Amino acid sequence: MTKAVIVPGGAFGPAAGLLMYASAVAERRGAAIHRHSWSQARPNPFEPAVEGWVRGELTPLLDELGGSPLLIGKSFGTNAALLAAERSLPAVWLTPLLTAPWVVAALGRATAPCLLVGGTADTLWDGDLARELSPHVLEVDGANHGMMTPGRPLTDSIAVLGRVIVAMEEFLDAIDWPDRSAS
């Protein structure tokens, strides 16, 4: 069975905000959704040790699931990019921590495709770097780390959510996920 692992950020759980809708995209494609919750207090996301901590949190789940699940991570959860690179897993990284050198290095080592999503008002986003790391990028003008557009009508932020979902659907179509020829 096709699987997707939802890797939360630091502020909200695996079923909130962008991750709720992103998991729905995978679920509508027949994926069994596995929502990870952090089991203990998270370390500082801007210290290199966080990468090993995330590895320790997610490795048992990935080992149990087997196969090549799609990883969908938000912010803090993009510290799982190393696992995606090591296991050649496709991924959707929402507001990746592109200021963390270890996340950037892991994204650079990835052999499976990934979608990078961020906004120009997010201090942790670097659009030029994102485009160097992946041909699959959605950059939203004026969106912050929560993919909201401060100072604009709330409906603009809701429209951003729609753009993220469309980009994810187009990305999964482009990489043929799940592989429909295998069914």
Side-chain angles (χ1 to χ4, degrees), residues 4 22 35 45 70 73 90 95 99 122-123 125 132 134-135 150 158 169 173-174:
R35 289 178 178 85
L70 172 70
T95 65
T99 58
D122 180 357
T123 60
W125 173 257
E132 288 175 23
S134 176
I158 294 167
E169 289 173 334
D173 285 345

Side-chain angles (χ1 to χ4, degrees), residues 1 30 50 56 59 71 78 84 119 155 158 170:
M1 167 172 257
V50 69
T59 295
L71 297 184
T78 65
T155 53
I158 294 167
E170 290 173 349

Side-chain angles (χ1 to χ4, degrees), residues 154-170:
L154 187 55
T155 53
D156 287 4
S157 293
I158 294 167
V160 168
L161 174 62
R163 289 182 62 193
V164 171
I165 298 313
V166 168
M168 186 175 166
E169 289 173 334
E170 290 173 349

